Amino acid sequence: MPRKASEKNSGLGRRRFLTGGLSVIAAVVGPWEKAFPQSRKATSTAPSSFEPFTQPAVQISQNGTLRTNLRVVEADVSIRDVQGVRIEHTRCYNGSVPGPTLKLRAGEELRIKLSNELPSLSEHCGKEHLNRPHCFNTTNIHTHGLHVSPEAPSDNSFLRIEPQSDYQYCFQLPDMHPAGTFWYHAHVHGSTGVQSMNGMAGALIIEDPDKEKLVPESRDVVWMIQELMGKGAEKLYSCDHPHAPYTVNGKFQPTLNLRPGEVQRWRFINATATPGGYMDLQLLDRNNTRQEFMLIAIDGYPLRKRQRRTSYVLPPGGRVDFLVRLRRPGRYKMLKRRFQGQAQDQVLAWIDSVGKPLNTPLPRALSSLPPFLNPITDEEIVKRRIIRFQVCPDQARGDICKNYPSAKLCSGDKGHELLANVFLIDGKPYDPDRVDHSIRLGTAEEWEVVNETGAEHPFHIHINHFQVMRPGVAPEDWVWQDTVSLPADRSVKIRSRFLDYPGRFLLHCHILLHSDLGMMQNVEVVGDGKGPLGMV
């Protein structure tokens, strides 16, 4: 096994966060400074002052176990952009953004000691603040996309690790877990969005066996995309929520070098928290001509058939893996095209194709997928459900919004006010004590997820992937995902097997701003199955 990469912690700032949820945000008055002018037009030449494309610190399993300590701290993080160097005083893991990349393999154990070193201030964490921003310094860990137990000390999103306390997480990966691109982030209801915008996220890579690696490690590249903002992120839940520049691995528009004809694997992770985080990814040359890339995996799971693409829409929470080969030397750019929300087009990174040309062939595709990824048949389905995403006022069918007379749109002159929309699933805001869906372990179901709103929302469910049903597409080619975008005023049908693990977990909109405000439900799988890894 390679040695574990060392991590360098930046110094911790002495300035303390104002934490108090509603009371803090309500106290803000007057216009807010934007961290970044989003209307600036992208140029075709990379500014020379920006930084090289680098990878986050890496920690790798040894002898079947990855043991690590994630310290949640306040730190000053510097970002160099067109305005110079700005400092964000932010919550983060181990003093840096993003957190370390964690690498392990199927069948191995992941043990994370989460140390919450944030200030212990008067936190508003009671149920009276439910579906409102609150509890900003309390945290936990969600392993997004992993098929592991949802019970403590594994991927239990109901845990709350209070300031100045520790918790030992233990995740046991099943032997059949697919290799792929996953990630981890904080998931306390009421502060998930703000902590994600602070930068509290990191890549989680389940590695291929050595004989099945598609590219050498030096050409296997993580793109962790975030909208990084420190203290200002607490205004996320306001009518005029802040907009930050999109960073890749904590850097603004870094420059990546590769040789002409070289093949690299690019792993994109959309770790954003706002509607503007939707991104249409395009690779362009200096003439703004789209370049082709090979789509090989979505949300960590490999595709049965690879796809040649020149554009891919990646929703918040989603991941996508490309094989990239630029045959001609020159300067290219990876562009995030505006998809929805208030964000504008932005260059994510510059790519310089330089050096002696190579003639690297594209690696072979998998001859077949593992048996547990066989398509879910009609005969397996034991129940069908309809789930509805709704926003009041005005974006719910029928008379649902009559139940929420206080719901209102933002007024143009009061941008500091909290959002007064009501975010619902099936006509109800989130209730942690309610079981919305009870499912028998070992069964399969078909769901129609309906979006009754006028904008796209990413549907995400914990623990189990699902197949996205596509009309006119053979079932064996339905893609496995854990996050799928719901088109406005339309629906998506999915099928899922609820295997191995009983317990309670979440489904929600992965625009984390929306889930914090109520667009979330509880799922409970009942039956005898595998429990979490015991403590040693």
Side-chain angles (χ1 to χ4, degrees):
M1 285 288 184
R3 292 182 60 186
K4 182 186 297 185
S6 62
E7 294 180 278
K8 184 177 180 180
N9 296 332
S10 59
L12 303 185
R14 292 293 182 182
R15 184 157 45 98
R16 294 158 68 91
F17 276 102
L18 292 174
T19 54
L22 287 166
S23 62
V24 173
I25 301 174
V28 178
V29 295
W32 295 330
E33 295 180 0
K34 301 295 186 185
F36 186 72
Q38 292 292 310
S39 60
R40 185 169 54 251
K41 184 177 180 180
T43 62
S44 60
T45 304
S48 59
S49 61
F50 292 172
E51 300 175 279
F53 193 110
T54 58
Q55 292 294 278
V58 176
Q59 298 187 2
I60 302 174
S61 62
Q62 298 188 17
N63 300 319
T65 302
L66 197 166
R67 300 176 186 270
T68 187
N69 184 8
L70 292 180
R71 299 170 49 246
V72 183
V73 298
E74 295 178 3
D76 290 328
V77 175
S78 62
I79 300 175
R80 184 182 300 275
D81 61 25
V82 293
Q83 298 177 332
V85 177
R86 64 184 175 94
I87 304 297
E88 293 287 351
H89 187 74
T90 191
R91 305 173 181 89
C92 57
Y93 294 123
N94 297 356
S96 64
V97 176
T101 295
L102 307 180
K103 291 187 176 183
L104 66 162
R105 294 186 177 181
E108 294 188 332
E109 299 174 9
L110 172 61
R111 295 176 175 264
I112 299 175
K113 181 181 179 183
L114 185 64
S115 300
N116 186 351
E117 300 179 13
L118 295 176
S120 182
L121 303 179
S122 56
E123 291 256 80
H124 298 276
C125 294
K127 195 172 180 181
E128 65 273 17
H129 300 291
L130 182 64
N131 300 321
R132 301 278 56 170
H134 66 290
C135 225
F136 290 161
N137 275 16
T138 297
T139 194
N140 61 16
I141 285 281
H142 168 50
T143 51
H144 185 124
L146 290 193
H147 180 61
V148 293
S149 173
E151 297 180 338
S154 185
D155 190 15
N156 183 335
S157 294
F158 304 96
L159 291 173
R160 291 189 171 192
I161 318 306
E162 297 179 350
Q164 303 298 306
S165 66
D166 300 332
Y167 188 80
Q168 180 65 59
Y169 281 93
C170 302
F171 307 88
Q172 174 66 59
L173 290 178
D175 293 337
M176 55 70 175
H177 200 291
T181 305
F182 307 92
W183 62 301
Y184 62 90
H185 61 89
H187 210 300
V188 169
H189 183 54
S191 63
T192 307
V194 71
Q195 291 188 5
S196 293
M197 202 168 188
N198 286 158
M200 289 177 58
L204 207 168
I205 307 300
I206 309 304
E207 295 190 285
D208 293 291
D210 289 338
K211 293 182 179 180
E212 298 179 16
K213 288 184 180 292
L214 299 181
V215 297
E217 186 173 338
S218 62
R219 299 175 184 175
D220 195 323
V221 183
V222 168
W223 293 61
M224 172 68 74
I225 303 172
Q226 297 168 286
E227 43 190 344
L228 177 61
M229 182 171 286
K231 184 177 175 182
E234 297 182 4
K235 303 165 189 172
L236 171 67
Y237 309 96
S238 68
C239 288
D240 187 19
H241 60 255
H243 303 284
Y246 295 93
T247 59
V248 181
N249 300 338
K251 294 185 176 182
F252 177 75
Q253 295 184 350
T255 300
L256 183 151
N257 290 330
L258 78 172
R259 293 167 65 179
E262 175 185 343
V263 175
Q264 291 193 357
R265 178 177 185 164
W266 292 356
R267 302 175 184 261
F268 284 83
I269 301 170
N270 188 339
T272 64
T274 66
Y278 264 94
M279 55 191 69
D280 184 358
L281 297 171
Q282 297 178 14
L283 179 60
L284 308 177
D285 65 12
R286 64 170 58 249
N287 296 318
N288 289 325
T289 301
R290 294 188 190 182
Q291 305 299 297
E292 187 177 83
F293 43 76
M294 185 74 74
L295 178 61
I296 63 170
I298 295 175
D299 288 350
Y301 281 28
L303 298 183
R304 192 177 301 272
K305 292 182 179 178
R306 293 176 174 178
Q307 302 175 17
R308 295 183 181 274
R309 303 288 288 269
T310 60
S311 176
Y312 185 84
V313 175
L314 185 63
R319 287 90 61 221
V320 65
D321 289 29
F322 302 140
L323 292 178
V324 177
R325 180 176 58 189
L326 300 174
R327 293 192 178 278
R328 298 189 306 274
R331 172 152 290 172
Y332 300 80
K333 58 190 174 187
M334 178 55 71
L335 189 65
K336 173 195 177 296
R337 288 280 189 198
R338 179 188 181 276
F339 183 76
Q340 68 174 18
Q342 298 178 354
Q344 301 297 319
D345 291 355
Q346 184 191 307
V347 173
L348 293 175
W350 302 93
I351 297 94
D352 283 341
S353 178
V354 295
K356 184 178 179 180
L358 302 174
N359 189 24
T360 310
L362 291 175
R364 292 182 180 179
L366 294 173
S367 57
S368 62
L369 296 183
F372 71 91
L373 294 183
N374 287 337
I376 300 172
T377 64
D378 293 344
E379 292 73 24
E380 290 181 74
I381 301 300
V382 300
K383 188 167 185 175
R384 289 175 168 84
R385 304 174 191 256
I386 298 178
I387 298 172
R388 301 179 184 275
F389 277 42
Q390 301 149 327
V391 179
C392 290
D394 304 330
Q395 298 188 63
R397 298 171 189 170
D399 58 0
I400 291 296
C401 289
K402 291 182 179 179
N403 299 323
Y404 304 97
S406 63
K408 62 180 180 179
L409 300 175
C410 290
S411 59
D413 60 344
K414 294 183 179 180
H416 63 281
E417 289 185 344
L418 287 174
L419 287 170
N421 306 78
V422 177
F423 293 84
L424 312 168
I425 299 180
D426 295 335
K428 301 174 183 177
Y430 179 66
D431 183 345
D433 298 325
R434 184 182 65 227
V435 175
D436 298 285
H437 306 282
S438 181
I439 300 169
R440 285 190 292 116
L441 183 67
T443 64
E445 296 192 359
E446 179 180 306
W447 297 0
E448 182 178 7
V449 189
V450 182
N451 180 5
E452 298 184 358
T453 80
E456 297 216 5
H457 293 265
F459 168 88
H460 170 59
I461 190 168
H462 294 198
I463 310 303
N464 298 284
H465 274 55
F466 48 80
Q467 274 194 295
V468 181
M469 303 170 67
R470 303 291 188 191
V473 177
E476 57 267 23
D477 293 324
W478 292 343
V479 175
W480 291 88
Q481 297 179 232
D482 61 55
T483 306
V484 66
S485 190
L486 306 177
D489 295 311
R490 291 169 58 191
S491 65
V492 172
K493 287 188 175 182
I494 63 175
R495 288 181 173 181
S496 184
R497 294 185 182 104
F498 297 88
L499 302 177
D500 301 319
Y501 304 111
R504 191 166 60 120
F505 51 89
L506 299 168
L507 68 83
H508 58 92
C509 176
H510 217 283
I511 296 174
L512 298 175
L513 158 66
H514 295 169
S515 65
D516 277 340
L517 298 182
M519 196 172 268
M520 188 159 68
Q521 286 186 331
N522 294 319
V523 178
E524 185 171 41
V525 174
V526 295
D528 295 328
K530 300 177 182 177
L533 179 67
M535 300 293 293
V536 176

